[in-house]
Amino acid sequence: MVQRVSTGSPFEATFGYSRAVRHEDTVYVSGTTGYDYSVMKMPESVGDQAKNALATIDKALKEAGSSIEDTVRVVYYLGDRSYVDEVVAAVGPVFKDIRPAASMLIVAMIEEGMKIEIEVTARIGAATSHA
């Protein structure tokens, strides 16, 4: 079984991708930026961008029958190494008990206001085995 999840972002149609794809018990979430869809703009703060990205990711995971608690792998793409402390402060409380495998890379972003992109892989039911 393959299920594709869309969040309705215009970028999904333009670039030709799904926000998330579920294959059996694994959900792959595309790199997600911190765009705030409630006000249709990108926040200035990298911490706010990280929080927005995680909210979008959790929404996509839930639509695929999972949740952020099922995350087994997370990759952070940062536009500058000076963002690390603020990102850790934003994502640490979310992942402190989940403890997924993680990587953090410093990269050039495709738009100037983007400071972070987050991608996750989740396994449905992993939350019950995080003890």
Side-chain angles (χ1 to χ4, degrees):
M1 167 191 110
V2 174
Q3 173 189 1
R4 287 173 176 75
V5 174
S6 173
T7 54
S9 164
F11 301 114
E12 293 170 23
T14 303
F15 281 81
Y17 70 95
S18 295
R19 173 64 49 211
V21 175
R22 176 181 173 178
H23 178 256
E24 297 177 359
D25 69 345
T26 304
V27 184
Y28 305 91
V29 181
S30 295
T32 304
T33 65
Y35 196 75
D36 185 341
Y37 292 100
S38 68
V39 294
M40 299 306 287
K41 61 187 261 187
M42 187 70 73
E44 179 64 29
S45 157
V46 69
D48 288 342
Q49 288 188 27
K51 290 173 187 174
N52 288 348
L54 291 178
T56 300
I57 289 167
D58 191 42
K59 180 179 177 187
L61 286 169
K62 285 179 179 167
E63 190 171 330
S66 187
S67 73
I68 201 84
E69 290 82 13
D70 286 329
T71 300
V72 295
R73 175 111 176 104
V74 61
V75 181
Y76 304 99
Y77 302 94
L78 305 183
D80 192 284
R81 69 187 51 188
S82 68
Y83 302 154
V84 171
D85 290 342
E86 192 174 348
V87 168
V88 169
V91 303
V94 175
F95 290 117
K96 70 180 176 77
D97 294 326
I98 301 167
R99 309 274 307 263
S103 297
M104 186 176 285
L105 305 165
I106 308 303
V107 301
M109 296 300 204
I110 62 171
E111 289 189 22
E112 190 174 320
M114 291 178 180
K115 296 180 177 180
I116 186 168
E117 189 166 324
I118 303 172
E119 115 186 17
V120 306
T121 302
R123 294 287 304 269
I124 296 170
T128 59
S129 62
H130 284 188

